[in-house]
Amino acid sequence: MRVAGQERQAGGTPRAALVDLLAGNRRFVSGQPMHGHDVTAAAAASGDQQPYAVVLGCIDSRVPLEAIFDQTFGAICVIRTGGHVLDRAVCGSIEYVVGQLGVPLVMVLGHERCGAVGATVDALRTGERPGGSLAHLVDEIAPAVTEVGLDDPAVHPLAIRRHVRRTVHTLRADDLLAEPVAAGRVAVVGGLYDLSTGEVALLDVPDAGPAQA
């Protein structure tokens, strides 16, 4: 069953899925959404889910993923963790969506001024590792910060981008994703959300890249 306004479904190509996802972001930025905040409870119960993408993003309340891609109910699967950090539950969820629902596109979406990355920069500079499970987020983001270098004046924005790319590369090498990615049936791409403009820019895409819509 096709959800009203949804142009792609699970089982399509990664290229087409990415084109549609970015087209939704352009509608959001232009202030002409097809869905956005105008979705209704009736739409939620309108039929089976047939997602064409899964988006892994941050928990930041300024980055509501369905809204910034202008997607309606049933169109995309959304996973959110602090700094889009991976763990077994996240990887298992993505494996399920790709393997069982036939979703051809995985997007890892970072955003400007990410607090989780900022906290990691601060922790590495002060040498004070946070307690509790917050330490896990810092540990997972720290390699991106270290690769950029704490002495770099732009360490925060550069580490955000590096962390997105590292997450993308980790997912492409995942045991259950590597084969469909290598075969071209699934694409894992990285993006960055600009809090000031609402635009999503691609950071890491397969060599072929998306078609222009």
Side-chain angles (χ1 to χ4, degrees):
M1 176 178 179
R2 183 180 291 274
V3 178
Q6 181 180 330
E7 298 182 8
R8 300 288 175 193
Q9 299 179 5
T13 68
R15 185 185 183 98
L18 185 54
V19 166
D20 281 352
L21 198 62
L22 295 179
N25 179 242
R26 289 195 295 273
R27 293 194 301 271
F28 169 76
V29 172
S30 69
Q32 298 178 319
M34 290 168 50
H35 310 291
H37 296 287
D38 197 30
V39 293
T40 65
S46 64
D48 295 334
Q49 66 164 335
Q50 295 185 342
Y52 69 88
V54 54
V55 182
L56 170 61
C58 184
I59 61 171
D60 195 295
S61 60
R62 299 166 294 180
V63 193
L65 299 178
E66 291 90 346
I68 67 172
F69 287 113
D70 186 34
Q71 300 298 307
T72 190
F73 290 97
I76 62 173
C77 294
V78 167
I79 302 171
R80 300 177 69 171
T81 65
H84 57 78
V85 164
L86 296 172
D87 61 20
R88 291 186 67 186
V90 172
C91 291
S93 298
I94 294 173
E95 291 170 354
Y96 172 80
V97 170
V98 170
Q100 299 300 314
L101 300 184
V103 168
L105 179 69
V106 180
M107 174 174 279
V108 177
L109 188 69
H111 67 91
E112 301 284 8
R113 306 198 296 276
C114 179
V117 175
T120 302
V121 171
D122 291 342
L124 293 179
R125 281 178 169 164
T126 63
E128 298 179 1
R129 186 172 181 267
S133 296
L134 178 57
H136 173 69
L137 297 185
V138 168
D139 291 345
E140 291 299 304
I141 299 171
V145 176
T146 301
E147 288 176 7
V148 172
L150 286 172
D151 294 334
D152 194 311
V155 59
H156 190 179
L158 290 178
I160 290 170
R161 290 156 174 78
R162 185 66 60 88
H163 180 50
V164 169
R165 293 186 172 102
R166 287 179 58 88
T167 306
V168 167
H169 293 162
T170 298
L171 286 173
R172 287 178 182 167
D174 178 272
D175 288 345
L176 297 186
L177 299 180
E179 190 275 330
V181 167
R185 297 193 303 272
V186 173
V188 183
V189 304
L192 185 73
Y193 179 73
D194 191 321
L195 292 172
S196 299
T197 67
E199 293 184 53
V200 171
L202 293 177
L203 291 182
D204 196 316
V205 297
D207 292 339
Q212 295 299 314

